[in-house]
Amino acid sequence: MKLRTTGAAVALTVASALVLTACGGEDDTPPATVVDQDNTGAADPESGTVLDTPFAKPALTLTDTEGEEYDLVAETEGVTTLLYFGYTNCPDVCPLTMSNIANAAAELSDEQRDKLNVVMVTSDPERDTPESLGAWLQAQDPDFIGLTGDFGEIQEAASSLGVLLEEPYVEDDGAVISSHGSQVLAFLPGDDKAHVLYTEGVTTETFERDLPGLIEGETP
């Protein structure tokens, strides 16, 4: 089943469809709470949503895991790019999402893999340094790109894509409260716009099915 919707409709639904998920932190990290959204109302949450009005790629310059400046628009121009906002202390949604993409990417040929960028922008830049973000992504896929920097800039870029981010804060009991959208946006090489949106329910199998076409600039 193909679901089509406009970028504006996606963004509107994001603001009104919040599902709170409580999460536990790592051994030396206070527990965290993550807000994730199923923002499309899709009948089939395991399929991507093809957008009638694609999202433009945000003009965002951050720091990569090597400590170098990374211009998202310039560095990913003309290459299929999956973009996700998340953080390394997230114990479930973020690692599952990135693992699903990594497992699917592992099935691609070397030629196909060279035509795919997977970019994770941290929603928790205070804790996600280039070093810690790099180590975390290395365990997922060494080719994944991690970006960190100013939270305000990251939040603005996410908002332009209909992805809700709220600045993490610490409660009196030491719990870190963080909220972020669970969407993965697929930018196609022809116009560098996001034509497909994936939500939390998407599986490895969905990415395995869709990635070869996305790499060639085709929607599911």
Side-chain angles (χ1 to χ4, degrees), residues 31 34 44 54 62 91 98 131 144 154 209 211 213 217:
V34 182
D44 182 0
L62 296 171
M98 299 306 286
E131 295 78 14
F144 284 0
I154 293 171
R209 181 191 66 214
L211 282 181

Side-chain angles (χ1 to χ4, degrees), residues 22-123:
C23 304
E26 298 175 351
D27 293 342
D28 58 351
T29 304
T33 300
V34 182
V35 177
D36 297 301
Q37 299 87 11
D38 177 359
N39 52 26
T40 64
D44 182 0
E46 295 187 1
S47 294
T49 299
V50 178
L51 303 174
D52 281 341
T53 305
F55 286 114
K57 190 176 293 179
L60 187 62
T61 300
L62 296 171
T63 302
D64 66 17
T65 55
E66 299 297 322
E68 301 294 330
E69 184 176 273
Y70 189 98
D71 183 327
L72 180 66
V73 172
E75 295 286 352
T76 63
E77 182 180 3
V79 180
T80 297
T81 301
L82 301 186
L83 180 63
Y84 179 71
F85 294 85
Y87 67 112
T88 64
N89 286 296
C90 174
D92 45 24
V93 176
C94 300
L96 177 60
T97 299
M98 299 306 286
S99 176
N100 285 342
I101 297 172
N103 288 336
E107 299 301 315
L108 298 171
S109 68
D110 290 343
E111 181 180 0
Q112 288 174 316
R113 190 65 184 83
D114 288 341
K115 297 178 181 179
L116 174 69
N117 288 322
V118 179
V119 180
M120 176 173 162
V121 178
T122 181
S123 59

Side-chain angles (χ1 to χ4, degrees), residues 187-210:
F187 294 82
L188 300 188
D191 59 6
D192 286 320
K193 291 184 178 181
H195 287 263
V196 187
L197 182 149
Y198 297 93
T199 55
E200 185 182 339
V202 173
T203 63
T204 294
E205 289 72 24
T206 300
F207 286 117
E208 285 181 353
R209 181 191 66 214
D210 290 359

Side-chain angles (χ1 to χ4, degrees), residues 109-214:
S109 68
D110 290 343
E111 181 180 0
Q112 288 174 316
R113 190 65 184 83
D114 288 341
K115 297 178 181 179
L116 174 69
N117 288 322
V118 179
V119 180
M120 176 173 162
V121 178
T122 181
S123 59
D124 185 10
E126 185 173 339
R127 290 190 291 176
D128 283 345
T129 64
E131 295 78 14
S132 64
L133 182 57
W136 191 87
L137 288 173
Q138 182 75 21
Q140 297 283 348
D141 187 312
D143 291 330
F144 284 0
I145 299 160
L147 302 178
T148 186
D150 178 74
F151 179 82
E153 294 179 16
I154 293 171
Q155 184 182 48
E156 182 178 356
S159 178
S160 74
L161 299 170
V163 179
L164 176 65
L165 297 186
E166 294 183 2
E167 189 165 10
Y169 66 92
V170 182
E171 291 194 322
D172 293 341
D173 63 359
V176 179
I177 306 301
S178 179
S179 61
H180 67 93
S182 59
Q183 306 98 299
V184 176
L185 291 122
F187 294 82
L188 300 188
D191 59 6
D192 286 320
K193 291 184 178 181
H195 287 263
V196 187
L197 182 149
Y198 297 93
T199 55
E200 185 182 339
V202 173
T203 63
T204 294
E205 289 72 24
T206 300
F207 286 117
E208 285 181 353
R209 181 191 66 214
D210 290 359
L211 282 181
L214 294 175

